[in-house]
Amino acid sequence: MHTRNNWTISEIENIYHTPLLELIYKAAIIHREYNNTGQVQVCTLLSIKTGGCPEDCSYCPQAARYNTGVDVQALMKKEEVLEYAARAKEAGSTRFCMGAAWREVRDNKDFDRVLEMVKGVNEMGLEVCCTLGMLTEEQAKRLGDAGLYAYNHNLDTSSDYYSEIIHTRTYDDRLQTLDNVRKAGVTVCCGGIIGLGETHIDRIKMLHSLATMAEHPESVPINALVPIEGTPLAKNTKVDTWDMIRMIATARILMPNRRCVLWQVPILFLQEINY
Ligand code: SF4
């Protein structure tokens, strides 16, 4: 079935501001047209290198500059990661995502180890996903050759609001990495976080950036901020459940055959569910 990537901001505004029950109803109809309603995908996400990150994402307890009590942990050993992956598979996950608190991937022994992890998890018959920060096209290709199925790199918020949340990189840096991932033939997992202090129009604009990509991201994680003591956003108000539902329903209508992923900002080891 045909999907669109020429949405305008005003079209998205109209969808987003539809009365909630009507919006849920429309999203459910569209969901049924494109997806098997009796199916969800369970994914497990593991932090393979935790804390000590040089970036300053205002929501993140892993940024070295915030005093959040997160224990810095060096890159895990391959064998240990494969054990976690085996447990995840046993528990019913079909996708295993490995996250490292890096600004960007460097061509060094740590990256070689991650490539080995990707190869190992792929050989276990799981879809492998990584989130490692910025990436060149060459590095994306190496990950793809090792068996990487998806790369997660979120836009976080609208391009207008981005500089309020992160000062150590730009929106364009994000888009460049996403482009490199696409060129390497790896699928894209890309979404954002609500509850960062953004307005409704920022949320709409973020959805617009995602839904007007030449190819929609295969997975669209919609996160709600978990305010963490020590980060600049520690005092933000908890996101209302209905706001999350509104975002997910709008994303479903805009990108009907993609996986809308509901998760929360990860710290160490969690499972997420893809609808
Ligand atoms: S979100 Fe990622 S890049 Fe930003 S500070 Fe946390 S670990 Fe670093």
Side-chain angles (χ1 to χ4, degrees), residues 53 55 57 59-60 62-63 101-102 169:
C53 181
E55 299 283 68
C57 309
Y59 51 80
C60 182
Q62 300 199 65
W102 287 333
R169 55 168 195 266

Side-chain angles (χ1 to χ4, degrees), residues 48 78 89 131 145 195 222:
I48 57 171
K78 181 184 104 177
K89 189 176 175 183
T131 182
D145 290 345
I222 305 287

Side-chain angles (χ1 to χ4, degrees), residues 50-87:
T50 304
C53 181
E55 299 283 68
D56 76 344
C57 309
S58 312
Y59 51 80
C60 182
Q62 300 199 65
R65 65 194 71 202
Y66 309 137
N67 191 4
T68 58
V70 164
D71 282 337
V72 177
Q73 284 170 16
L75 185 65
M76 288 169 71
K77 296 203 170 15
K78 181 184 104 177
E79 295 68 27
E80 208 182 340
V81 170
L82 295 188
E83 261 173 47
Y84 274 109
R87 276 169 46 194

